[in-house]
Amino acid sequence: MFENPETTNLESLGEFGLIDHLTKQIELKNPSSIKGVGDDAAVLKTPDSKNTLVSTDLLLEGIHFDLSYFPLKHLGYKAVVVNLSDIYAMNAKPKQITVSIGLSSKFSLEAVEELYGGIELACKHYQVDLVGGDTTSSKQGLIISVTAIGEADENEIVYRNGAKEMDLLCVSGDLGGAYAGYQLLEREKRVYINNPQLQPDLSGNDYILERQLKPEARKDVIDILKALKIQPTAMIDISDGLSSEVIHIAKQSNVGITVYEEKIPIDPTTYNMARELDLDPTLCALSGGEDYELLFTINQSDFEKIKEHPDLTVIGFCTKKEEGINLISKSGIKHELKAQGWKAF
Ligand code: ADP
Ligand code: MG
């Protein structure tokens, strides 16, 4: 891809040419985006009644992503989505992002356009404005940093520290899929390295591949909760795995949490791939990470409102701190939950 003679060398554009090329067609969608790309700083307007939320992530090639199977367009999309997910996890709405990139000489203009194609698609899908960033060269590999800026009414913001004893622990969607997809891609990469004649066998696994390569942030869950008039008492997005996020809520809220293994939602595709790869599906959900689902606690009085919802599952409840953070296995055995486990990075 990078040695294709028909691609355009970045040096021929220069830094400003590249920035101009990547950003000239941007149209601002949000009234709060006063000034986007083109000056020394972006200018945003936040109504007095709202608070501003800011979240940043840094992604490094070889540490957070592997370009041998991660298409650049998907990478751009995912880099934005993981940041928006952090804003939604505060029960807030993202409005703007900035994108900073470090590019090594192996990247052509066409490659960077692919990356920006994914970034723009995410901006369109989530109705956020790309209002700035920075562009630099890198000695080795690709670096992407995205900052998301959001807003919310002060009394709607949900922190990690508000869970109370007897609250219910809920999760959106299903878990472990992104990790199963990652493991499948890694397996096929090894097969390919050992025998480049073999075509990767990814058939029937679209769901978990999409969970890894094109995750979505749960904007819809924020809207659902609002429509149901539920204000979660604590919330976090699942980037590192269920265990780690449960522990964050428990520690910051000063409560214990009990999770039931049998309640953890796992898609059949995830389950089957985990089995095929000799992995425990529950462990994929607990320690795999990158699912970008929302984990939140609600008051028991809200149970009736969510119990029939197909996309929301109650998986446990909050206890006194002294009872600790535990998983009750399918056979009824209590295990202390630990944040260890593997990570996708
Ligand atoms: P400065 O030298 O003042 O930091 P730059 O030349 O880096 O300015 O950037 C010029 C404009 O282009 C700024 O508005 C900046 O936010 C924007 N910009 C730079 N790089 C990117 C990028 N990768 N994506 C989006 N906007 C960018
Ligand atoms: Mg700059």
Side-chain angles (χ1 to χ4, degrees), residues 46-51 154:
T46 317
D48 283 347
S49 59
K50 303 253 183 193
N51 282 5
E154 187 170 350

Side-chain angles (χ1 to χ4, degrees), residues 15-16 19 23 36-40 99 101 116 130-135:
E15 181 192 334
F16 301 125
I19 295 172
T23 58
V37 170
D39 214 309
D40 294 314
V99 175
I101 48 176
Y116 265 72
L130 174 53
V131 294
D134 202 19
T135 306

Side-chain angles (χ1 to χ4, degrees), residues 145-162:
S145 176
V146 178
T147 297
I149 300 151
E151 60 182 50
D153 286 344
E154 187 170 350
N155 57 6
E156 282 180 356
I157 298 175
V158 178
Y159 297 90
R160 296 176 178 183
N161 66 4

